Amino acid sequence: MYARIAGTGSYLPKKILTNADLEKMVDTTDEWIKSRSGIEQRHIAVPGETTTDLAVPAARAAMAAAGVGPADIDLICVGTTTPDLIFPNVGTLLQQRLGIHGCAAFSLEAACSGFIYALSVAEKFVRLGESKCALVVGAETLSRMVDWTDRSTCVLFGDGAGAVILKPSVEPGIISTHLHADGKYKDLLYFPEGISTGFNLAGQGKAFLRMKGNEVYKVAVTTLGRVVLETLAANGIDKSQIDWLVPHQANIRIIEAIAKRLEMPMERVIVTLATHGNTSAASIPLALDAGIRDGRIKPGQQLLLAAFGGGLTWGSALVRL
Ligand code: UT7
């Protein structure tokens, strides 16, 4: 038994922030942002627009694509680092908004790897027969964590949500997932405050995402490179058998390095970075939905999903659509 992706959906907030807009906010240039990251614009949630607000239309689109309704969903698993509230979790907030009652609903936090972690957890429920129809979401409003006066981080991130519906199938499916983390890298990418350390350490509204971009870059290339080779070896398949690489969208140079390791031309990589920026846990399901809806990714094709993020966390999924 496998868990199969029966439908995908995504949603981006309406407000767009271009590199030209950022030139007016911080000491940066369109040329620097494009050449160093590949990003041209990003979508930003307006005040009051929450992670759950983005997750709802993404989930509805995935449910419509899969032909399922609220009564069919029996598990909700959301990857997010930017919950509306500390609790109730985003899974339950989403559940209520979708008119679903009673099924297990939770969110998990693995930064930009959140969707791969959520997919890996949910596919086990489906594969083991405990879920017949799981809703898996990656949704973020990282713009709320960013210091909009810090040019080294604010140009990189955007908001959005992506979702998939998983159903049991005798045909593959999610073929394998590979999750990793190493907390020794915690200082490379983190948000400095939380409940048990006490909010307001830096003063109300003064805490922001902190990143050693250069060092994250190096570890990302190494760990992603390793996990894609691990995925191929675990399944006894060759690089040439991957139809599409659907990577976390953080930096075009990182994506190109992984494509090179897989000897894949960039034409077989789904890249949404230029228009979405880095949407953290939402980036892979957003890219997956884009590739499916524009007809590039076709039923029966084999996809390699690969993510990394704060923690550091990283992981992959080999998927037959
Ligand atoms: O989702 C996972 C999380 N994060 C990532 O994956 C990020 C991984 N890292 C990266 O993508 C890249 O390291 C960045 C895009 C963040 C930075 O690119 P870089 O080529 O590593 O640049 P750098 O940090 O080495 O900075 C080069 C220069 C510096 O100036 P000096 O010291 O050489 O004079 C920076 O101060 O660029 C400067 N700089 C900027 N200049 C214009 C940094 N940010 C900007 C900016 N505009 N926005």
Side-chain angles (χ1 to χ4, degrees):
M1 185 63 77
Y2 292 93
R4 234 196 86 243
I5 294 180
T8 63
S10 60
Y11 182 77
L12 291 157
K14 300 274 174 282
K15 185 185 168 189
I16 291 175
L17 193 69
T18 64
N19 290 354
D21 295 328
L22 281 163
E23 284 178 347
K24 294 177 202 130
M25 295 162 62
V26 288
D27 180 17
T28 191
T29 60
D30 173 50
E31 201 282 326
W32 191 97
I33 303 171
K34 269 203 300 232
S35 63
R36 300 288 178 126
S37 72
I39 300 167
E40 294 172 23
Q41 62 165 58
R42 66 289 291 141
H43 292 248
I44 302 290
V46 293
E49 195 172 23
T50 67
T51 294
T52 304
D53 290 333
L54 307 185
V56 170
R60 286 205 177 112
M63 288 162 68
V68 302
D72 299 311
I73 306 288
D74 58 13
L75 176 74
I76 300 175
C77 182
V78 181
T80 186
T81 313
T82 46
D84 303 29
L85 309 168
I86 299 296
F87 75 90
N89 71 71
V90 173
T92 56
L93 299 178
L94 178 61
Q95 183 190 43
Q96 187 265 333
R97 295 272 295 276
L98 295 173
I100 300 169
H101 304 279
C103 75
F106 59 98
S107 52
L108 60 80
E109 183 200 336
C112 301
S113 310
F115 177 75
I116 294 293
Y117 267 66
L119 186 74
S120 179
V121 170
E123 74 94 15
K124 287 169 185 66
F125 277 81
V126 175
R127 198 151 44 82
L128 295 171
E130 289 192 25
S131 166
K132 297 268 176 283
C133 187
L135 169 62
V136 186
V137 179
E140 300 274 23
T141 46
L142 237 71
S143 65
R144 299 278 150 71
M145 279 193 170
V146 168
D147 178 356
W148 287 100
T149 65
D150 173 13
R151 69 176 185 175
S152 71
T153 53
C154 77
V155 302
L156 303 174
F157 297 99
D159 302 329
V164 304
I165 297 292
L166 294 183
K167 291 180 105 178
S169 164
V170 285
E171 304 290 331
I174 313 288
I175 300 166
S176 72
T177 61
H178 306 265
L179 303 184
H180 296 280
D182 196 336
K184 81 176 179 198
Y185 296 117
K186 77 177 169 58
D187 294 334
L188 297 192
L189 180 53
Y190 67 105
F191 187 83
E193 293 189 354
I195 291 284
S196 66
T197 51
F199 282 118
N200 300 326
L201 290 180
Q204 184 121 37
K206 296 262 174 56
F208 301 110
L209 173 148
R210 294 183 192 170
M211 180 172 77
K212 293 179 181 156
N214 254 316
E215 291 174 55
V216 174
Y217 184 100
K218 284 181 214 143
V219 185
V221 171
T222 315
T223 52
L224 276 178
R226 237 181 6 231
V227 82
V228 297
L229 297 182
E230 175 191 341
T231 311
L232 298 178
N235 292 286
I237 60 167
D238 184 72
K239 294 165 179 156
S240 60
Q241 291 171 267
I242 303 294
D243 295 302
W244 292 100
L245 174 64
V246 187
H248 173 47
Q249 312 279 318
N251 187 309
I252 192 67
R253 292 177 292 145
I254 297 175
I255 295 174
E256 284 167 353
I258 304 311
K260 198 167 164 199
R261 191 149 312 182
L262 284 167
E263 293 169 18
M264 289 183 85
M266 285 304 284
E267 293 72 43
R268 281 167 50 210
V269 183
I270 305 292
V271 182
T272 52
L273 188 64
T275 49
H276 297 180
N278 180 349
T279 57
S280 184
S283 91
I284 288 183
L286 269 161
L288 180 64
D289 189 48
I292 289 174
R293 282 179 193 265
D294 68 20
R296 277 178 293 170
I297 301 177
K298 297 190 172 54
Q301 288 188 321
Q302 191 149 251
L303 324 176
L304 183 51
L305 282 42
F308 69 95
L312 293 180
T313 54
W314 64 97
S316 66
L318 183 69
V319 177
R320 174 77 66 185
L321 200 66

